[in-house]
């Protein structure tokens, strides 16, 4: 049976017309190649949606389940930028990266960000990372006003006997050791109290009531504080390790990073939206104070703690092989004895 609507007859095409159509098709294909997307890879919860939506063409963000997947795809052909914490970025070799071209942006940040921009490489090295956000690890309590009133005890609250089996610690042994020091007995007591080592799901354990305290990156809790009065956040006066969010440019023939888009994170109208989500760029204090002027006082104080407290916070530089082995022995030696 024939087609219900047979095609109309077409006059023959000349050789010149065919050549012209062929050239046009080739140009269309080339234009399509030029418009091929370049990906910014991030793990879920580690890239603000308001910022990602502003990515210019041909860039597009792609969210993966965890940082390990981001690392695994760092050398993929279409991967032009990576979002990783400083801990995960330390897994990359210098040969895996190329300069990101953000020197003018780095100069707008506080000096605290400079070592992170070069991944703790030698002073004067070209930046290979854009350290766009940072924050301390904090102690989050659920329905424990008794412990909140003892905030002056700082990180020693983690050793309170009432938290045994109800405490979530960071997945990084190094961060946990940095909180309570290298005393083997203190570390042993802390490890016996741990319910889990999991900052990515630690908030869920708090909200379901399985845990009463968790050590988490500040960013993960700021958005919940207005909605859940059961939560209280403590940043001890003694300071805390810092965690950084970095954008890195993998080695390869990728387009130049969208520098204008990177700079949008440092100024209104985007900056207040980032701050509301807990993302704090390492900008000079006066700039952050202006951006936080309309925030509730308690939230503003969490996002911009007193300067003396901030000065007692510290970044964790990469370990040498000897240092890593020593900390691993300390951590293993403090493991709870297996149940009989």
């Amino acid at each position: 049976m024939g087609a219900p609507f047979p095609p109309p007859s077409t006059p023959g095409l000349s050789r010149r017309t065919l050549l012209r159509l062929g050239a046009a098709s080739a140009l269309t294909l080339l234009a399509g190649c030029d418009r091929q997307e370049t990906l910014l890879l991030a793990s879920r919860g580690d890239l603000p949606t308001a910022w990602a939506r502003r990515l210019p063409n041909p860039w597009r963000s792609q969210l993966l389940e965890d940082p390990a997947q981001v690392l695994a795809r760092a050398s993929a052909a279409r991967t032009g930028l990576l979002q990783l914490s400083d801990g995960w970025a330390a897994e990359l070799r210098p040969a895996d990266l190329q300069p990101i071209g953000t020197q003018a942006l780095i100069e707008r940040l506080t000096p605290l960000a400079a070592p992170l921009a070069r991944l703790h490489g030698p002073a004067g090295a070209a930046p290979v990372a854009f350290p766009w956000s940072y924050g301390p690890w904090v102690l989050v309590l659920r329905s424990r006003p008794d412990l909140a009133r003892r905030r002056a005890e700082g990180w020693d609250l983690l050793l309170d006997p009432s938290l045994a089996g109800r405490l979530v610690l960071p997945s990084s042994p190094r961060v946990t050791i940095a909180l309570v020091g290298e005393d083997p007995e203190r570390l042993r007591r802390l490890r016996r109290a741990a319910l889990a080592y999991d900052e990515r799901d630690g908030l869920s354990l708090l909200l379901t009531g399985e845990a009463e305290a968790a050590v988490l990156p500040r960013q993960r809790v700021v958005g919940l504080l207005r909605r859940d009065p059961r939560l209280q956040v403590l940043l001890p006066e003694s300071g805390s390790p810092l965690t950084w969010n970095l954008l890195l440019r993998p080695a390869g023939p990728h387009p130049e990073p969208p520098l204008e888009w990177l700079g949008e994170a440092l100024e209104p109208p985007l900056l207040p939206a980032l701050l509301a989500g807990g993302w704090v760029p390492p900008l000079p204090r006066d700039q952050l104070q202006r951006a936080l002027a309309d925030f509730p006082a308690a939230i503003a104080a969490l996002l911009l703690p007193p300067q003396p407290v901030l000065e007692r916070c510290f970044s964790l530089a990469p370990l040498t092989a000897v240092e890593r082995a020593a900390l691993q022995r300390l951590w293993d030696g403090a493991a709870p004895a297996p149940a009989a």
Side-chain angles (χ1 to χ4, degrees), residues 283-328:
L283 290 167
R285 191 173 187 88
D286 60 337
Q287 293 183 40
L288 291 175
Q289 285 174 328
R290 289 195 296 272
L292 291 167
D294 295 329
F295 279 57
I299 300 294
L302 178 61
L303 292 169
L304 188 61
Q307 187 62 28
V309 176
L310 277 180
E311 289 174 356
R312 289 190 282 270
C313 295
F314 52 94
S315 301
L316 295 172
L319 296 170
T320 66
V322 172
E323 292 169 334
R324 186 186 296 267
L327 282 183
Q328 189 65 57

Side-chain angles (χ1 to χ4, degrees), residues 10 50 78 87 110 171 186 212-213 260 333:
T10 306
R78 294 170 58 202
T110 63
S171 60
R186 283 169 57 86
E212 293 181 352
E260 184 176 344

Side-chain angles (χ1 to χ4, degrees), residues 17-317:
T17 302
L18 287 170
L19 289 173
R20 188 163 58 247
L21 290 173
S25 299
L27 288 172
T28 300
L29 287 172
L30 287 172
C33 292
D34 289 341
R35 289 195 300 268
Q36 187 177 35
E37 291 176 328
T38 303
L39 297 178
L40 186 168
L41 300 184
S43 52
R44 296 189 186 280
D46 287 344
L47 186 69
T49 302
W51 195 24
R53 280 200 299 255
R54 294 170 174 256
L55 265 172
N57 290 328
W59 291 84
R60 181 173 68 85
S61 63
Q62 185 174 71
L63 300 183
L64 304 177
E65 288 305 314
D66 56 53
Q69 293 184 15
V70 176
L71 272 181
R73 293 185 51 186
S75 59
R78 294 170 58 202
T79 302
L81 284 172
L82 309 170
Q83 152 57 41
L84 289 168
S85 70
D86 53 321
W88 281 97
E91 299 296 316
L92 293 165
R93 303 166 301 169
D96 295 328
L97 299 169
Q98 61 180 315
I100 196 170
T102 58
Q103 187 58 50
L105 293 178
I106 301 302
E107 291 172 357
R108 296 174 59 183
L109 308 178
T110 63
L112 191 65
L116 278 300
R118 56 180 190 267
L119 293 186
H120 298 282
V128 292
F130 177 48
W132 61 272
S133 173
Y134 81 120
W137 290 80
V138 294
L139 175 57
V140 188
L141 301 173
R142 179 187 186 270
S143 302
R144 291 300 306 265
D146 57 321
L147 292 182
R149 286 192 292 269
R150 294 162 47 195
R151 64 176 60 237
E153 297 178 33
W155 292 114
D156 284 348
L157 288 174
L158 297 176
L159 299 171
D160 189 274
S162 69
L163 291 180
R166 311 281 284 174
L167 173 64
V168 179
L169 293 173
S171 60
S172 166
R174 188 183 182 193
V175 173
T176 299
I177 293 171
L179 297 176
V180 298
E182 298 185 12
D183 179 84
E185 181 54 35
R186 283 169 57 86
L187 195 57
R188 192 172 294 113
R189 287 171 56 197
L190 186 60
R191 292 203 63 183
R192 283 198 299 264
L195 168 67
Y197 301 93
D198 186 356
E199 67 271 11
R200 296 191 73 83
D201 291 321
L203 195 55
S204 296
L205 293 172
L206 272 180
L207 295 177
T208 59
E210 296 174 71
E212 293 181 352
V215 179
L216 302 171
R218 176 184 59 190
Q219 184 276 322
R220 295 191 178 275
V221 298
V222 170
L224 277 175
L225 292 181
R226 297 189 197 186
R227 305 196 302 270
D228 195 330
R230 298 172 302 176
L231 300 181
Q232 290 180 284
V233 180
L234 309 183
L235 173 59
E237 295 284 326
S238 60
S240 172
L242 296 172
T243 181
W244 289 81
N245 289 290
L246 309 175
L247 286 176
L248 306 107
R249 187 184 181 196
H254 308 298
E256 290 288 327
L259 297 182
E260 184 176 344
W261 174 80
L262 295 179
E264 289 183 16
L266 306 182
E267 56 197 27
L270 186 58
L271 177 57
L274 297 189
L275 291 169
W279 312 98
V280 181
L283 290 167
R285 191 173 187 88
D286 60 337
Q287 293 183 40
L288 291 175
Q289 285 174 328
R290 289 195 296 272
L292 291 167
D294 295 329
F295 279 57
I299 300 294
L302 178 61
L303 292 169
L304 188 61
Q307 187 62 28
V309 176
L310 277 180
E311 289 174 356
R312 289 190 282 270
C313 295
F314 52 94
S315 301
L316 295 172

